[in-house]
């Protein structure tokens, strides 16, 4: 393994560990919400309250950070033009801070009108006012998350990842703390404690990165220099992403419009299953993508095309190797998984069944969604932001059409299945266009990794199914019994997958085991 790959693997490994802790805390948070308030109109209101804050954040920060900010600032560092880079950073931070502040103020004024457009069904079931109040609390969050995200971009450009990873842990910890101490299941409005925790968590996520920012020699200038070439380049690169995120809200509107007209709890069921769907994407795929992105950016800036192709191929193969068995395992073990995480307190067995339906359809698209974390970043490293946007728009149209067609026969399961279908379409289109841009992409190696991972995963699924069918009647399906089935099934499945991967001589398995052996040997 090359020194570059070793560095990437180590960075990705750390980020995976941090993301795992953060995601576990995230599921503890969701479990507490489910236990306190069940799955109904109150939790639907809480989940819908994130629509406007998330919209503002992703419109102004998500696209700028991922597609423009890191590549441009990384190029300044690679070319040893640090002073010029900090002036660009200052201009972008000041511009986003002022613009976002203005939009938040407007959002606070027009929250009711926005939500009546987004979730029209909430008027009928009487939870629109709770949704409005929660949204207004949460609107404070994007301002701190924006600055936190930009600081993360600066530190990632220096290949420093741990402060932002710690920030996500603190973020979820604050939500759990404030949500728990303020919760009162008899009073639906007490769910606002979790919203307060979101705001405090955003502040903590921002504050924990400040010491590391000072160590890299932060330089701040109170300027907004529109004429600076770096600022203009970031603007040009970010513009298509901003357009893309704006158009993507069509999916959010359609999803929430349909969800608000389905039986109460449908939006929450989709949200809980979506959280499970995002778990492997966030822990593994996103960690690998974030760790790989600065390297891809540097290789593209230095025109090291062979190294860039190898970096992309290695990242995709590792993501596929990890996520295919997780996808299959989640389908087989979805009922005990949901029972363990959510079925307690106000969350009933019927709620488990309702949540298992969209989880099945989401799980189908886990690997595609994971690969999508890497492929657009390859284009961003090439400072091409329009291609992923155009392909994303095509996938968005597919998603909306699929929702319209599937909502009837599959209800809330159709919303999840549409997302998976769109992810597959987006992945295929992105890979095809990247191959046209870079030439041969080690496609056969990725293909055989996918085939072998699927074969090993299907073998694993059969072993898990036989085991759970034998064990479940003996110990029951209550929380403890489901926990035993989940843990033992996961362990046996992992061994079955590992054994088959060894038989199939998968290079990714050998690479992962080599990293484990080195870690053990250094202790």
């Amino acid at each position: 393994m090359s020194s570059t790959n070793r560095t990437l693997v180590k960075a990705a490994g750390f980020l995976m560990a941090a993301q795992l802790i953060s995601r576990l805390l995230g599921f503890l948070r969701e479990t507490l919400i489910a236990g306190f308030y069940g799955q109904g109109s109150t939790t639907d209101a809480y989940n819908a309250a994130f629509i406007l804050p998330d919209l503002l954040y992703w419109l102004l920060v998500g696209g700028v950070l991922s597609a423009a900010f890191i590549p441009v600032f990384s190029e300044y560092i690679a070319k040893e033009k640090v002073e010029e880079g900090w002036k660009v950073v200052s201009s972008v931070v000041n511009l986003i801070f002022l613009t976002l502040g203005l939009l938040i103020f407007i959002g606070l004024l027009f929250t009711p009108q926005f939500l009546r457009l987004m979730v029209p069904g909430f008027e009928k079931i009487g939870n629109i006012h709770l949704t409005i109040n929660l949204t207004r609390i949460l609107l404070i969050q994007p301002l701190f998350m924006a600055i936190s995200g930009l600081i993360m971009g600066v530190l990632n450009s220096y290949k420093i990842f741990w402060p932002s990873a710690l920030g996500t842990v603190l973020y979820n910890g604050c939500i759990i703390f404030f949500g728990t101490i303020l919760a009162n299941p008899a009073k639906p409005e007490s769910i606002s404690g979790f919203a307060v925790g979101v705001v405090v968590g955003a502040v903590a996520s921002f504050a924990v990165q400040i010491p590391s920012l000072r160590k890299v020699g932060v330089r701040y200038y109170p300027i907004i220099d529109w004429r600076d070439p770096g600022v203009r380049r970031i603007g040009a690169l970010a513009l298509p992403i901003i357009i893309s995120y704006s158009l993507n809200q069509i999916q959010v509107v359609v999803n929430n419009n349909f969800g608000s007209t389905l039986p109460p709890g449908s939006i929450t069921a989709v949200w809980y299953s979506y959280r499970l769907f995002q778990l492997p994407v966030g822990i593994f795929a996103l960690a690998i993508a974030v760790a790989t992105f600065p390297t891809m950016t540097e290789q593209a800036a230095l025109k090291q095309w062979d190294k860039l192709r190898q970096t992309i191929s290695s990242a995709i193969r590792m993501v596929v190797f990890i996520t295919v068995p997780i996808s299959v395992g989640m389908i087989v073990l979805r009922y005990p998984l949901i029972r363990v995480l959510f079925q307690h307190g106000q969350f009933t067995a019927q709620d488990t069944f309702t949540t298992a339906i969209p989880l099945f359809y989401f799980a189908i698209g886990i690997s595609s969604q994971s690969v999508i974390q890497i492929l657009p970043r390859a284009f961003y490293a090439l400072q091409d932001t329009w291609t992923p946007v155009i392909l994303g728009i095509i996938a968005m149209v597919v998603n909306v059409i699929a929702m319209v067609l599937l909502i009837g026969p599959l209800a809330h399961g159709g919303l999840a299945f549409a997302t998976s279908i769109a992810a597959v379409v987006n992945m295929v289109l992105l890979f095809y266009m990247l191959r046209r841009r870079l030439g041969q992409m080690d496609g056969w190696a990725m293909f055989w990794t996918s085939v072998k991972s699927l074969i090993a995963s299907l073998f694993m699924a059969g072993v898990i199914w036989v085991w759970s069918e034998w064990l479940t009647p003996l110990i029951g399906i209550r929380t403890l019994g489901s926990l035993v089935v989940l843990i033992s099934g996961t362990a046996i499945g992992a061994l079955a997958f590992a054994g088959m991967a060894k038989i199939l001589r998968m290079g990714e398995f050998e690479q992962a085991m080599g990293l484990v052996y080195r870690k053990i040997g250094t202790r």
Side-chain angles (χ1 to χ4, degrees), residues 263-334:
S266 295
I267 290 178
T268 302
V270 173
W271 170 249
Y272 285 161
S273 57
Y274 183 77
R275 292 282 298 166
L276 290 167
F277 161 69
Q278 283 291 332
L279 180 63
V281 177
I283 292 176
F284 302 109
L286 188 59
I288 292 173
V290 169
T292 304
F293 188 38
T295 300
M296 287 194 294
T297 300
E298 183 178 314
Q299 290 168 344
L302 298 175
K303 302 186 186 303
Q304 297 172 338
W305 306 122
D306 288 338
K307 290 183 178 180
L308 177 60
R309 283 190 287 265
Q310 185 57 44
T311 298
I312 296 169
S313 174
S314 297
I316 290 175
R317 284 186 280 115
M318 184 56 69
V319 162
V320 169
F321 172 74
I322 293 172
T323 59
V324 170
I326 292 175
S327 173
V328 174
M330 192 174 287
I331 291 174
V332 178
L333 293 171
R334 65 188 185 281

Side-chain angles (χ1 to χ4, degrees), residues 410-428:
L410 298 178
H412 63 307
L415 302 178
F417 197 20
T419 300
S420 292
I421 292 171
V424 173
V425 171
N426 199 7
M427 177 190 70
V428 171

Side-chain angles (χ1 to χ4, degrees), residues 209-222:
Q209 299 183 80
I210 298 299
S212 295
L213 186 65
R214 295 179 64 181
K215 285 184 179 180
V216 301
V218 59
R219 299 174 182 84
Y220 172 74
Y221 301 91

Side-chain angles (χ1 to χ4, degrees), residues 29-30 33 42-59 111 114-115 118-119 122 130-142 145 171-172 175 191-199 202 249 252 256 267 271-272 274-275:
R29 176 193 72 204
E30 302 295 345
I33 295 174
T42 300
T43 51
D44 281 354
Y46 176 76
N47 292 318
F50 281 90
I51 297 172
L52 182 55
D54 286 351
L55 168 64
L56 294 180
Y57 175 80
W58 286 109
L59 283 181
T111 301
F114 176 83
L115 288 175
M118 296 294 286
V119 284
F122 280 14
L130 176 60
T131 311
I132 291 170
N133 293 335
L134 292 171
T135 299
R136 282 176 167 159
I137 295 172
L138 291 170
L139 273 171
I140 304 171
Q141 175 225 28
M145 290 298 289
Y171 175 76
N172 281 313
I175 300 173
I191 200 172
S192 61
F194 286 94
V196 171
V198 167
V199 176
Q249 294 312 304
V252 178
N256 283 277
I267 290 178
W271 170 249
Y272 285 161
Y274 183 77
R275 292 282 298 166

Side-chain angles (χ1 to χ4, degrees), residues 10 41 240 268 270 275 278 309 331 337 393 401 469 510:
K10 288 180 180 178
S41 59
T268 302
V270 173
R275 292 282 298 166
Q278 283 291 332
R309 283 190 287 265
I331 291 174
L337 176 62
I393 292 172
I401 293 173
E469 286 294 302
E510 300 298 335

Side-chain angles (χ1 to χ4, degrees), residues 336-368:
L337 176 62
I338 295 169
R339 291 190 195 105
V340 169
L341 290 176
F342 304 121
Q343 191 175 312
H344 57 87
Q346 302 298 315
F347 197 100
T348 66
Q350 179 58 41
D351 293 333
T352 293
F353 176 78
T354 304
T355 305
I357 294 172
L359 179 56
F360 173 84
Y361 292 110
F362 272 133
I364 295 172
I366 286 175
S367 293
S368 297

